Amino acid sequence: MKIKALSLLVFMACSPLVMAQSGMTDQQVVEYVKQGMAQGKSQSQLVSELARRGVTREQAERIKQLYEQGSLNGTTSGTGQSQQSRSRQRTSESGYDTNRQTGNQTGNQKGTDQNSSEYSRNNNRNNRNSLNDSPEYAPETYDRDVFGEDASTMEELTRMLEASDGMNYTAQDSLSRAIQENEVFGRNIFNTTNLTFEPSVNLATPPNYRLGPGDEVIIDIWGTSQNTIRQEISPDGTINIEKIGPVNLSGMTVSQANEHLKRVLGKTYSGLDTPGGDLEISLTLGNSRTIQINVMGEVLQPGTYALSSFSTVFHALYRAGGVSPIGSLRNVQVTRGGKTVAKVDVYDFIMKGKTQDDIRLQEGDVVIVPAYEALVKIKGNVKRPMKYEMKHNESLATLINYAGGFSSDAYTRSLRVIRQNGEEYEINTVKEINFGTYTLHNGDEVTAEAILQRFTNRLEVRGAVYRPGLYQLNGEINTVRALVTEAKGLRGDAFTNRAVLKREREDLTTEMISVDVRGIMAGSSPDIPLQKNDILYIPSIHDLKDFGDVTIYGEVARPDKYTYSANMTLEDLIIRAGGLLEAASTVRVDVARRIKDPKSTVSTDSIGQMFTFALKDGFVIDGEQAFTLQPYDQVFVRRSPGYQAQQNVQVQGEVIFGGTYALTHTEERLSDLMKKAGGATDKAYLRGAKLTRVANEEEKKRMKDVIDLMNRQFGKAMMDSLDIKVDSTFTVGIELDKAVANPGSEYDLVLREGDVLSVPKLNNTVKINGAVMMPNTVGYLSDKNANYYLDQAGGYALNAKKSKKFVIYMNGQVARIKGRNKDKIEPGCEIIVPSKSNKRVTAGEILGYTSSFASLATMFVTLTNLIKN
């Protein structure tokens, strides 16, 4: 059950807002895909559900990378870390909040270590309980649980990543907007690792901070006497001062504690509690305590949390994983001693930056998140289409403000509201004047439509004016004359006898109105009033004429079509085409011209005219005046018959001077080339020489026909497996010994450019191949016939076609073998025995047949014999 890549394009198109809202661990993402596939969920349903849960491309890439590295484990976090995992992680970090708060206050490591050790012991117990409750987070079991049995899930995630790269940006934007519309504004603020709301550790102790058991206080005394007292407030709320005894500080603010200590220590230090005394005292906070607070209601992880005494409501909500799908962000309550001491509206923080309601928590505080009162969706043409939580009696104007206001293309005169009235849906159209008084209900869906795609005052002028384009219909530009004047007047090529005004009627049909532009501009014809959406078209005289291109072929630098210009001459066109090439003929340049007679009333047998010219230095010399071209003329610059470029051939192997030689005349032959090369060496085997020739287009077509014939005989699949293609060269069967002995004879072939003559050494062996018992290579014996060599290969195979055997010579020639003819066997040749046609030839046999063929041209004769009935 696999997810198709096309549907998975949707997965990775989440907007930046959604990317920060993932509430799923890496493991949960993979498990979700597996379960969805097993349940038979549709592709679009599964992808949409993952996107709504905030699974991002970055998280999927991380899962893939960790899986490939084999390092995937339960500590994986990032944007995809779950609220449960994060909550447990925060709880299990030894002294996390306490250490952060105390490290910069005093620098006394002893007090820090004591507090941290006690806190660590408590949290280790919590951590063990958390791991027992959720064993899937154990690193050693993560890989096995996720991928142990079904690695195909990882393949699906990989395809998600690959498919998303090619996604159309417009489609991504549309999907991202659709996903965003279903998200609740502000919900992600407490469930992302980017915002922790941790209290700052770099601030001085606030004067209104209330001391309690576990806080470490530092009392500095200076003046005539100097002393420092460092004590931790005991569980009964006191510190023990030498010679004084227990002093109660619990519940006092830092300011109150300072004044209280002045009075208490004044009994020991004279001048401390009297005005103008010479002693001063200052109480500061060392290591802060840990407080226990409760987070209840609609949060993802309700319970009791150990936090720093500097923590606020926002930090508590973050530690609880954020609000649940039905939790309220607008009415978070803090109760202390059974009384509500604060109500926090998170939207005030997001929209206005207000933090005064984010109060500092105290021991035993309870943070309560109730269910939301109303959830309203706004979509369409607003800047931030989403769902928003609304308070009782908040208006539509407030919702628009939350959504960032209207987008530039929004219709702002009214909004459509779909409401559930308890029995059915109803539609309300709210006018702009009522936005501030129309109150919203839970479940309302507000839509802001786009403005109409039309203009209220558009005019357009096209054609032969200096500034064509769109113009405003107003009190000054409301006639044809005024519009042309505003467009900076008529161009010199304007056809003023008749222009066209296209007008849109009330029923949206159009009509065409003829306009005498010349008369209107001269004042001799009445001006025409314009209406909105009128389009005035003034043609150019060039638009009314047929100016076809002129074309030049042949021996010029850039043969092509060129735009016709008035009075263009033959010389002009040749210059535009880059001039004549070296091979061009200067005594024959032809111009072909169409027959054009628009006033003719009878048919004619003529279909064109031809003009011929001679040139010198690119100019016509056989006429007194330059030849003027007309539209659609075709110019042919011929190739000079007296022009010949060098043509080279090669000779290699057993010759005195091998290498490349230039042909000196058109009838140069093999014997001529051997003379130029100084003749053959003593070791040359002229009978085995072969000629390799470059194939021209006709010869390549013939080779393709051979391949098509083989495809029909052996099957295209088999031929494709052999990878046989059209060769650019082929071998010509020659008898060089006879050509050298009889120059100019029929054996002495005429050479052509690209030919390569190869003269080998004597190869004193004979190959036997094809339908024989054991293909073999044996030494050549001049007195032995074909049967002798076939016996050396074990004789014929059962499927051998004995009467069709043939021989391939070193020079590329092929010959049939009949009877016991020993004259057909030569050194270096290969005897081939084809198979019977009633048994299908195998690919191995074809490879055996073709292993010695020099080219497809040689193969043609052989394969013709193979496939004959």
Side-chain angles (χ1 to χ4, degrees):
M1 192 180 307
K2 294 185 177 181
I3 303 174
K4 294 182 179 179
L6 181 60
S7 296
L8 295 179
L9 292 175
V10 181
F11 177 80
M12 307 310 302
C14 301
S15 66
L17 181 62
V18 178
M19 289 171 64
Q21 297 181 358
S22 176
M24 303 179 72
T25 63
D26 296 344
Q27 176 188 6
Q28 290 171 334
V29 172
V30 179
E31 291 293 343
Y32 194 93
V33 175
K34 291 171 60 177
Q35 294 173 6
M37 294 166 60
Q39 295 170 4
K41 289 186 178 180
S42 67
Q43 302 166 8
S44 58
Q45 179 184 2
L46 184 60
V47 172
S48 297
E49 289 175 359
L50 284 172
R52 284 197 297 270
R53 283 163 174 76
V55 178
T56 64
R57 176 183 176 87
E58 287 77 6
Q59 184 177 2
E61 286 177 337
R62 184 178 66 252
I63 296 173
K64 175 186 176 185
Q65 181 179 6
L66 293 178
Y67 173 70
E68 292 173 345
Q69 295 173 352
S71 60
L72 200 58
N73 57 54
T75 62
T76 305
S77 61
T79 57
Q81 186 177 9
S82 72
Q83 318 313 322
Q84 182 181 16
S85 176
R86 188 185 64 223
S87 179
R88 290 171 177 167
Q89 178 187 4
R90 296 298 191 197
T91 305
S92 64
E93 290 174 347
S94 301
Y96 177 80
D97 295 290
T98 302
N99 289 338
R100 291 291 301 275
Q101 295 299 327
T102 59
N104 292 335
Q105 293 289 337
T106 63
N108 189 303
Q109 189 63 38
K110 179 179 180 180
T112 302
D113 292 340
Q114 286 179 343
N115 200 20
S116 177
S117 299
E118 180 180 356
Y119 189 40
S120 176
R121 287 192 295 271
N122 294 331
N123 287 331
N124 286 337
R125 289 193 294 270
N126 293 335
N127 188 34
R128 288 194 296 271
N129 293 335
S130 298
L131 292 176
N132 291 334
D133 293 340
S134 184
E136 68 271 19
Y137 289 92
E140 63 271 16
T141 63
Y142 189 88
D143 290 338
R144 183 181 69 254
D145 292 343
V146 177
F147 299 107
E149 299 178 356
D150 187 6
S152 63
T153 307
M154 194 64 239
E155 297 175 2
E156 298 301 337
L157 288 176
T158 300
R159 281 197 288 271
M160 291 180 185
L161 297 174
E162 293 172 351
S164 66
D165 288 334
M167 187 173 186
N168 180 273
Y169 286 116
T170 303
Q172 287 183 353
D173 292 341
S174 299
L175 175 67
S176 177
R177 192 175 181 87
I179 294 174
Q180 180 179 329
E181 288 177 356
N182 289 307
E183 297 294 330
V184 180
F185 178 74
R187 282 274 173 84
N188 66 315
I189 194 171
F190 296 115
N191 60 12
T192 173
T193 55
N194 296 329
L195 297 173
T196 63
F197 296 100
E198 298 171 10
S200 175
V201 298
N202 297 319
L203 298 178
T205 305
N208 61 350
Y209 176 82
R210 291 193 177 276
L211 302 173
D215 282 337
E216 182 187 43
V217 295
I218 303 172
I219 305 169
D220 291 313
I221 302 172
W222 71 92
T224 56
S225 297
Q226 293 187 5
N227 193 12
T228 297
I229 302 172
R230 193 181 194 110
Q231 290 281 333
E232 181 178 305
I233 300 177
S234 66
D236 60 2
T238 63
I239 61 173
N240 192 5
I241 301 177
E242 185 179 358
K243 297 181 182 180
I244 294 178
V247 178
N248 184 41
L249 296 179
S250 180
M252 296 183 183
T253 65
V254 173
S255 298
Q256 292 171 346
N258 262 305
E259 296 299 324
H260 181 62
L261 287 174
K262 284 182 180 181
R263 292 191 297 270
V264 173
L265 295 178
K267 301 175 183 179
T268 304
Y269 297 92
S270 60
L272 185 62
D273 60 342
T274 58
D278 52 5
L279 282 179
E280 294 291 337
I281 185 173
S282 173
L283 181 147
T284 58
L285 185 66
N287 296 327
S288 63
R289 69 185 186 277
T290 298
I291 62 175
Q292 297 286 333
I293 61 99
N294 296 285
V295 184
M296 297 298 173
E298 301 303 330
V299 291
L300 291 181
Q301 292 294 321
T304 301
Y305 292 87
L307 304 177
S308 165
S309 56
F310 284 92
S311 298
T312 65
V313 180
F314 285 175
H315 191 206
L317 292 175
Y318 172 79
R319 289 289 300 275
V323 300
S324 70
I326 63 170
S328 172
L329 293 170
R330 310 294 307 279
N331 190 26
V332 180
Q333 302 172 16
V334 181
T335 62
R336 184 173 297 160
K339 297 181 180 179
T340 300
V341 297
K343 291 185 177 181
V344 181
D345 186 345
V346 179
Y347 277 21
D348 282 344
F349 169 70
I350 297 175
M351 298 289 188
K352 305 174 184 177
K354 293 183 178 180
T355 59
Q356 60 267 31
D357 293 331
D358 184 24
I359 65 172
R360 185 176 297 109
L361 298 175
Q362 297 183 15
E363 180 72 31
D365 281 356
V366 180
V367 178
I368 301 175
V369 178
Y372 62 78
E373 294 183 27
L375 203 60
V376 178
K377 179 179 180 180
I378 184 170
K379 62 181 184 178
N381 295 78
V382 290
K383 295 177 181 176
R384 189 168 49 237
M386 294 186 75
K387 290 182 178 179
Y388 294 87
E389 182 184 343
M390 306 297 291
K391 287 185 176 180
H392 181 64
N393 290 331
E394 280 191 322
S395 67
L396 183 56
T398 304
L399 176 63
I400 296 172
N401 183 56
Y402 287 162
F406 292 104
S407 60
S408 60
D409 58 344
Y411 178 68
T412 61
R413 304 293 177 83
S414 67
L415 293 175
R416 182 178 69 246
V417 180
I418 298 179
R419 173 166 294 175
Q420 307 168 37
N421 60 18
E423 294 183 359
E424 55 189 3
Y425 289 94
E426 65 181 26
I427 293 180
N428 296 327
T429 300
V430 184
K431 300 296 183 181
E432 183 179 13
I433 194 174
N434 297 322
F435 287 172
T437 58
Y438 185 85
T439 57
L440 296 169
H441 296 177
N442 184 32
D444 283 354
E445 183 176 292
V446 181
T447 303
E449 300 287 354
I451 59 175
L452 298 177
Q453 293 293 326
R454 66 180 187 183
F455 292 87
T456 60
N457 60 345
R458 181 185 67 175
L459 296 175
E460 184 176 0
V461 59
R462 302 174 182 173
V465 293
Y466 284 102
R467 298 189 65 85
L470 300 178
Y471 290 90
Q472 174 186 3
L473 175 64
N474 54 29
E476 297 179 358
I477 309 174
N478 55 10
T479 65
V480 169
R481 180 185 180 89
L483 178 60
V484 173
T485 302
E486 187 67 20
K488 303 305 178 185
L490 301 171
R491 293 204 312 251
D493 62 336
F495 181 75
T496 58
N497 292 340
R498 181 175 179 176
V500 177
L501 181 65
K502 182 180 178 182
R503 174 162 294 174
E504 184 181 85
R505 295 171 176 164
E506 291 297 328
D507 60 359
L508 300 184
T509 61
T510 59
E511 64 174 332
M512 309 299 289
I513 302 174
S514 298
V515 178
D516 180 8
V517 178
R518 177 184 297 173
I520 291 176
M521 299 307 292
S524 59
S525 297
D527 205 352
I528 299 178
L530 297 176
Q531 300 177 9
K532 69 174 182 179
N533 296 322
D534 278 354
I535 300 175
L536 177 63
Y537 173 62
I538 302 173
S540 167
I541 57 175
H542 304 298
D543 297 335
L544 306 178
K545 293 182 179 180
D546 184 9
F547 291 103
D549 296 334
V550 291
T551 309
I552 186 168
Y553 302 93
E555 302 301 318
V556 290
R558 294 185 297 274
D560 203 348
K561 287 185 177 181
Y562 292 90
T563 303
Y564 174 78
S565 301
N567 299 320
M568 177 186 286
T569 65
L570 177 59
E571 293 92 332
D572 296 334
L573 180 59
I574 291 175
I575 292 173
R576 289 185 63 182
L580 301 176
L581 296 180
E582 184 183 39
S585 171
T586 59
V587 298
R588 179 72 182 272
V589 176
D590 298 330
V591 179
R593 177 166 293 172
R594 292 182 177 183
I595 298 296
K596 294 174 285 188
D597 186 2
K599 298 182 179 181
S600 176
T601 59
V602 296
S603 62
T604 178
D605 294 333
S606 299
I607 59 174
Q609 293 177 289
M610 183 67 72
F611 305 91
T612 301
F613 303 94
L615 302 176
K616 182 179 181 182
D617 299 328
F619 295 94
V620 176
I621 61 174
D622 60 351
E624 296 181 358
Q625 296 181 349
F627 182 77
T628 303
L629 298 175
Q630 294 183 7
Y632 299 108
D633 276 356
Q634 294 181 342
V635 178
F636 302 90
V637 179
R638 306 299 179 184
R639 184 181 182 88
S640 173
Y643 179 83
Q644 293 291 337
Q646 294 91 335
Q647 299 182 23
N648 297 330
V649 295
Q650 294 183 47
V651 59
Q652 58 190 22
E654 295 302 316
V655 293
I656 302 300
F657 298 104
T660 301
Y661 291 89
L663 299 178
T664 54
H665 54 90
T666 59
E667 294 296 323
E668 191 162 332
R669 298 173 181 266
L670 290 171
S671 59
D672 299 325
L673 179 59
M674 289 298 293
K675 290 179 182 178
K676 288 182 178 180
T681 66
D682 296 338
K683 298 179 181 180
Y685 179 52
L686 297 182
R687 179 67 179 168
K690 65 179 179 180
L691 182 67
T692 303
R693 178 159 287 178
V694 178
N696 56 32
E697 293 302 320
E698 181 181 354
E699 290 161 343
K700 289 181 180 179
K701 182 180 181 303
R702 190 159 60 246
M703 294 181 195
K704 183 177 181 302
D705 293 339
V706 172
I707 294 178
D708 293 340
L709 182 64
M710 294 170 65
N711 284 334
R712 291 193 296 270
Q713 177 66 22
F714 303 114
K716 189 175 186 304
M718 180 182 293
M719 298 306 301
D720 289 342
S721 68
L722 299 177
D723 195 26
I724 298 177
K725 300 178 181 178
V726 174
D727 291 337
S728 59
T729 61
F730 63 94
T731 301
V732 179
I734 62 172
E735 296 183 58
L736 184 60
D737 54 337
K738 294 181 181 180
V740 173
N742 301 285
S745 66
E746 58 185 4
Y747 299 106
D748 198 8
L749 298 184
V750 176
L751 299 174
R752 75 185 193 192
E753 184 178 15
D755 282 353
V756 178
L757 176 62
S758 300
V759 181
K761 293 181 180 180
L762 178 65
N763 182 3
N764 200 25
T765 62
V766 175
K767 287 185 178 181
I768 308 95
N769 217 333
V772 293
M773 299 304 293
M774 181 64 68
N776 198 4
T777 300
V778 299
Y780 171 76
L781 298 177
S782 60
D783 58 341
K784 301 297 183 181
N785 58 23
N787 287 346
Y788 165 78
Y789 294 103
L790 290 171
D791 290 341
Q792 300 304 307
Y796 295 105
L798 294 178
N799 63 335
K801 205 170 189 178
K802 302 177 183 179
S803 62
K804 299 296 183 181
K805 58 182 177 288
F806 58 93
V807 61
I808 304 174
Y809 298 104
M810 288 184 65
N811 62 4
Q813 292 180 330
V814 180
R816 290 278 299 273
I817 302 176
K818 295 182 180 180
R820 298 173 175 269
N821 194 339
K822 66 179 180 181
D823 295 336
K824 294 290 186 179
I825 310 303
E826 296 181 358
C829 70
E830 181 173 2
I831 301 171
I832 302 292
V833 180
S835 302
K836 291 180 180 179
S837 59
N838 58 359
K839 180 180 179 182
R840 189 171 183 84
V841 181
T842 65
E845 290 174 318
I846 294 177
L847 284 174
Y849 297 158
T850 60
S851 61
S852 300
F853 296 166
S855 67
L856 285 175
T858 305
M859 192 189 307
F860 178 82
V861 177
T862 304
L863 292 177
T864 301
N865 290 326
L866 290 177
I867 63 179
K868 282 183 179 178
N869 294 327

